[in-house]
C-alpha cells in the first residue's frame, strides 16, 4: 500500500513539473478551437449562423458582447448585419448596439440593456493585455461579458521569431499563430474559410479569410 501511495506521489510531482515546463515554454500560445475551418458561403451568412449557434450559451448569459470590428469596412458591416439577424432569429429579441464604445461614457454603457453589443477597435476588445476600457467601463458594472474580435487573414501569414518566443499571446501574434495551427485543415486552396477560437476563457477570435494565398492562384 505504501508503494502505491509513493508511486502516486511521484506521478503527481512529474505531472506538476511537466505543467510548469510547458507553461514556461509557451503552451499558452495555443488557443481553444470552437469552430473548425469552414468554407464561407457565397452570401457569408453561414459565418454568423455557425458562430451564434456555437456560442449560444455564452450569448445567452452575457450582458455585454465586446465586438472588435472597428473601423468597419463594407465586409464587416455586412457581417455584423448577418450577426444581428441571426441573433434575433435564435433568441427572438434584438441586440442593443453601441456603435463606438470608445466614445461612450461609463454611464451609457452601464445603462445599456442586455443584450448589449459594443463595437470597439481590435485592441480594446480583448484581454490579451491590460485593457483600460474593460477595467474602467465593463468590470465596474459587475455584469458578465465576452469579447469577440473579427480577425481577417489571407493564409500567407508567417509566424515570426517574436511570436514563437511569446509565452502569452499578443494581439499581433494571434492571427499567424492560429492560422499555423489550422493550416492543414483548409483542404481546398481555392476556397475562403472562417474559424473560431477562444483564448483566456473569455476572449473569442473569429478569423475570416479575405483573399486566397498567392501560391494558390
Amino acid at each position: 500500500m505504501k508503494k502505491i501511495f509513493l508511486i502516486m506521489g511521484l506521478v503527481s510531482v512529474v505531472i506538476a513539473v511537466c505543467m510548469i515546463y510547458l507553461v514556461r515554454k509557451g503552451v499558452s500560445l495555443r488557443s481553444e478551437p470552437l469552430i473548425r475551418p469552414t468554407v464561407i458561403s457565397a452570401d457569408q451568412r453561414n459565418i454568423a449562423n455557425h458562430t451564434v449557434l456555437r456560442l449560444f450559451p455564452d450569448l445567452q448569459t452575457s450582458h455585454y458582447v465586446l465586438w472588435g470590428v472597428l473601423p468597419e469596412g463594407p465586409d464587416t458591416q455586412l457581417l455584423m448585419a448577418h450577426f444581428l439577424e441571426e441573433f434575433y432569429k435564435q433568441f427572438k429579441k434584438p441586440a442593443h448596439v453601441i456603435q463606438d464604445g470608445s466614445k461612450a461614457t461609463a454611464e451609457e454603457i452601464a445603462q445599456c440593456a442586455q443584450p448589449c453589443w459594443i463595437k470597439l477597435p481590435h485592441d480594446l476588445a480583448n484581454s490579451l493585455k491590460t485593457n483600460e476600457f474593460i477595467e474602467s467601463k465593463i468590470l465596474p458594472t459587475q455584469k458578465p461579458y465576452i469579447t469577440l474580435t473579427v480577425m481577417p487573414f489571407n493564409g500567407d501569414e508567417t509566424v515570426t521569431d517574436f511570436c514563437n518566443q511569446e509565452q502569452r499571446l499578443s494581439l499581433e501574434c494571434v492571427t499567424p499563430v492560429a492560422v499555423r495551427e489550422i493550416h492543414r485543415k483548409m483542404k481546398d486552396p481555392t476556397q475562403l474559410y472562417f474559424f473560431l477560437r477562444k483564448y483566456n476563457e473569455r476572449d473569442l477570435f473569429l478569423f475570416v479569410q479575405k483573399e486566397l494565398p498567392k501560391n494558390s492562384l
Side-chain angles (χ1 to χ4, degrees):
M1 197 68 177
K2 290 183 178 180
K3 289 184 178 180
I4 294 177
F5 284 121
L6 179 61
I7 292 173
M8 291 177 64
L10 290 174
V11 170
S12 298
V13 171
V14 171
I15 292 174
V17 171
C18 290
M19 290 179 66
I20 292 172
Y21 173 81
L22 290 172
V23 170
R24 289 181 175 178
K25 291 300 181 180
V27 70
S28 59
L29 283 174
R30 295 188 63 83
S31 52
E32 178 186 351
L34 297 183
I35 297 178
R36 66 182 182 178
T38 303
V39 174
I40 299 173
S41 61
D43 59 6
Q44 300 185 41
R45 288 182 179 274
N46 69 330
I47 300 176
N49 174 262
H50 283 56
T51 304
V52 169
L53 290 177
R54 181 63 182 83
L55 297 180
F56 192 97
D58 301 276
L59 293 172
Q60 187 175 46
T61 58
S62 296
H63 186 100
Y64 298 107
V65 180
L66 310 185
W67 287 87
V69 293
L70 299 182
E72 283 187 294
D75 287 345
T76 308
Q77 290 176 339
L78 177 62
L79 183 61
M80 289 303 298
H82 290 333
F83 267 109
L84 287 167
E85 292 172 4
E86 189 63 31
F87 183 87
Y88 185 82
K89 175 182 175 181
Q90 297 298 330
F91 291 90
K92 308 305 179 186
K93 59 182 178 181
H96 305 94
V97 182
I98 294 179
Q99 295 296 334
D100 188 346
S102 64
K103 296 179 180 178
T105 66
E107 183 179 2
E108 288 173 330
I109 291 173
Q111 292 179 351
C112 184
Q114 184 181 9
C116 181
W117 289 11
I118 305 175
K119 296 182 182 180
L120 293 163
H122 286 191
D123 60 336
L124 295 183
N126 64 79
S127 302
L128 297 183
K129 64 178 182 179
T130 301
N131 189 320
E132 179 62 27
F133 175 83
I134 292 177
E135 292 188 354
S136 64
K137 296 183 179 180
I138 300 298
L139 294 183
T141 69
Q142 298 184 333
K143 296 172 182 176
Y145 75 94
I146 58 173
T147 73
L148 181 52
T149 305
V150 178
M151 306 292 284
F153 74 98
N154 56 32
D156 284 333
E157 287 76 9
T158 301
V159 181
T160 64
D161 290 339
F162 172 79
C163 291
N164 271 324
Q165 293 171 9
E166 281 192 328
Q167 292 186 10
R168 180 180 173 86
L169 203 60
S170 65
L171 187 62
E172 176 184 348
C173 297
V174 164
T175 299
V177 169
V179 172
R180 178 178 63 182
E181 291 176 1
I182 58 84
H183 185 71
R184 293 182 180 179
K185 297 180 181 179
M186 297 168 62
K187 302 294 186 181
D188 189 345
T190 66
Q191 297 286 347
L192 298 177
Y193 288 80
F194 75 94
F195 61 100
L196 180 70
R197 299 182 79 89
K198 180 195 289 186
Y199 192 74
N200 285 345
E201 298 302 320
R202 188 180 277 120
D203 292 325
L204 301 157
F205 295 93
L206 176 62
F207 299 89
V208 181
Q209 190 173 11
K210 293 303 182 181
E211 60 184 49
L212 299 174
K214 295 178 182 179
N215 57 16
S216 69
L217 300 177

